[in-house]
Amino acid sequence: MKKSFIVAFIMCSHLIGKAQTNEELALKDIYKSALTNAKCYPWLDHLSNKIGSRLSGSTGAEKAVLYTKLQLETLGLDKVYLQEVMVPKWVRGEKEIAYLLVGKQKITFPICALGGSVATPKKGVQGGIIEVQSLEELNNLGIDKVKGKIVFFNRPMNPEFVETFKAYGSCVDQRSSGAREAGKMGALGVIVRSMNLRLDDLPHTGATNYGDITSEQRIPAAAISTNGAELLSKMLKEKSNSSFFFKQSCETFDDVLSYNVIGEIKGSEHPERIMVVGGHLDSWDLGDGSHDDGAGCVQSMEVLNIFKSIGYKPKNTLRVVLFMNEENGVRGGKEYELQSSKNNENHIFALESDSGGFSPRGFSVEADEANFNRISSWATLFEPYLIHKFVKGHSGVDIGPLKSKHIVKVGLQPDSQRYFDYHHAANDTFDAVNKRELELGAAAMASLIYLVDQNGFVK
């Protein structure tokens, strides 16, 4: 009998030790809802396959605003509304053409105009082409060697960086600033190697920025595929006096009216404190923007759907914001902050998803040491869900402008190894997104927001 009592005591103690906390149970409910009752994947299906690309100022962007507003209204939120914002309208025009003339031979290359670029003359632009690896190398050449030439920026993303966004950051300046710097030196145009770690035939677009240079100095800029860049570089080494031709008919129109889409659940205890979760509704025009950033939008919407599904009423006001115009102006993020400041709103937390719909790995946090430690202390709660990364770092472009006094900003960090295979390219389509990975990202986001809502931050 004594032996039986000891065994029973040990078993009871073991069960007590294994009892789950309220937080563990809540996260379990969140993940169950996301993996069995989510709406984010069919939402993304409609955005991608029924609407398609959503470049600011386009018909697709307009349709996406109406669709996401309607879907938020079906969730029974306390408030759903549109926030006006003026956005740029840039149109690509006809398919771009490019080729290298080597004697009588014409070698074609896949290119696409960079967002915001000016057009070439109607008959295209043709001239000698010089290859450089950096803006510094361009400047070192001097005006005499650059004027009247087409500049080919061919610095690849550095494959040594495991963090692919670091690899992207190490070379994106040639895309964003190459046309401006070459234009000031009298170049005819620029061709920029696509921001992609993979060798393929897809040119990747993205914004170029002319800054305050004169209209006469603004030269056409296009991206070339990574395979194209490799071949062009090889050909130039063999035939340095070759002539390059490209043609594009893109055009910038006057700004047009668009909207941020906003929905919220009013806080049960502190309605004046606002937590934001969001992504950007606009996309580039080559694919349908499923990873960038349809995924982030539907994941953010799913956070509210999860809380509704499990019957959780947040203490603080929870607001989803689908920002317009992240890709070529960040007008939506800036307008949201402007209106928030006018209304004296108090944002305590903002979470953005804009790194693709891949498996979530963790979060990057913009906060002081005390609040970073507060978030990091929840790491063990995320271990069963394979979330392990809690680092200080950039949160997101659209939540960047928010300036509330005590705000903590966080970015969802998915596995990024394949992200730049699709980023800004024609293959950023619905078939590239895995349903379960998308849902896991939404669950991770909802879990972090739940913990913030329950525990708050250090002021």
Side-chain angles (χ1 to χ4, degrees), residues 72-81 262-277 300-321 336 446 449 453:
L72 288 174
E73 288 171 343
T74 66
L75 299 182
L77 307 179
D78 295 315
K79 188 187 297 185
V80 178
Y81 59 100
I262 303 173
E264 69 179 39
I265 302 173
K266 189 174 182 180
S268 59
E269 296 182 14
H270 301 288
E272 77 286 356
R273 299 178 186 172
I274 300 171
M275 303 181 298
V276 162
V277 60
S300 300
M301 295 165 65
E302 187 63 48
V303 170
L304 277 67
N305 182 46
I306 289 170
F307 286 166
K308 282 288 185 178
S309 297
I310 67 175
Y312 179 69
K313 181 73 172 178
K315 298 177 182 180
N316 304 288
T317 293
L318 176 58
R319 185 180 289 172
V320 61
V321 184
Y336 181 79
I449 289 173
D453 189 55

Side-chain angles (χ1 to χ4, degrees), residues 52-73:
S53 64
R54 305 173 298 279
L55 188 59
S56 294
S58 69
T59 300
E62 183 180 352
K63 289 180 179 179
V65 166
L66 297 176
Y67 173 72
T68 51
K69 178 177 182 289
L70 178 62
Q71 297 311 304
L72 288 174
E73 288 171 343

Side-chain angles (χ1 to χ4, degrees), residues 32 92 97 99 112 122 125 128 147 183 190 195 205 213 224-225 229 260 265 275 287 307 342 354 404 416 425 432:
K32 180 180 179 180
R92 181 172 302 279
I97 300 170
Y99 53 81
C112 67
K122 289 185 178 181
V125 62
K147 188 174 182 180
V190 298
M195 305 292 109
T205 192
I213 64 175
I224 186 172
S225 72
N260 292 328
I265 302 173
M275 303 181 298
F307 286 166
K342 286 182 178 179
D354 186 18
S404 291
S416 68

Side-chain angles (χ1 to χ4, degrees), residues 289-305:
S290 288
H291 275 299
D292 187 19
D293 184 32
C297 287
V298 298
Q299 286 174 328
S300 300
M301 295 165 65
E302 187 63 48
V303 170
L304 277 67
N305 182 46

Side-chain angles (χ1 to χ4, degrees), residues 138-240:
L138 172 73
N139 289 326
N140 289 340
L141 285 175
I143 293 177
D144 290 343
K145 292 184 179 180
V146 174
K147 188 174 182 180
K149 300 290 181 63
I150 294 171
V151 177
F152 169 37
F153 288 96
N154 190 32
R155 184 167 83 257
M157 289 176 64
N158 190 338
E160 295 179 13
F161 293 129
V162 175
E163 294 286 349
T164 59
F165 278 89
K166 187 175 181 180
Y168 176 73
S170 72
C171 64
V172 73
D173 62 339
Q174 59 193 333
R175 189 197 74 200
S176 60
S177 304
R180 180 179 68 244
E181 297 306 311
K184 289 191 292 188
M185 300 175 73
L188 295 176
V190 298
I191 300 294
V192 183
R193 183 189 182 102
S194 288
M195 305 292 109
N196 180 12
L197 284 161
R198 183 174 68 178
L199 290 175
D200 62 24
D201 295 316
L202 297 170
H204 294 229
T205 192
T208 194
N209 176 21
Y210 291 113
D212 59 358
I213 64 175
T214 66
S215 58
E216 291 77 15
Q217 293 175 313
R218 299 187 177 198
I219 58 176
I224 186 172
S225 72
T226 48
N227 273 338
E230 293 288 299
L231 178 59
L232 180 57
S233 180
K234 179 182 177 182
M235 295 301 297
L236 292 178
K237 288 179 174 62
E238 295 174 356
K239 303 288 183 179
S240 60

Side-chain angles (χ1 to χ4, degrees), residues 345-385:
E345 291 181 335
N346 177 27
H347 288 78
I348 62 169
F349 181 70
L351 170 61
E352 183 169 329
S353 173
D354 186 18
S355 298
F358 302 99
S359 292
R361 292 290 178 257
F363 305 95
S364 57
V365 183
E366 290 185 49
D368 58 27
E369 197 68 28
N371 286 310
F372 174 73
N373 290 337
R374 171 68 63 87
I375 292 177
S376 298
S377 71
W378 302 327
T380 55
L381 294 168
F382 285 96
E383 286 178 1
Y385 308 104

Side-chain angles (χ1 to χ4, degrees), residues 441-459:
M445 294 163 69
S447 296
L448 183 61
I449 289 173
Y450 166 80
L451 293 169
V452 170
D453 189 55
Q454 285 290 306
N455 296 284
F457 286 121
V458 181
K459 293 185 179 180

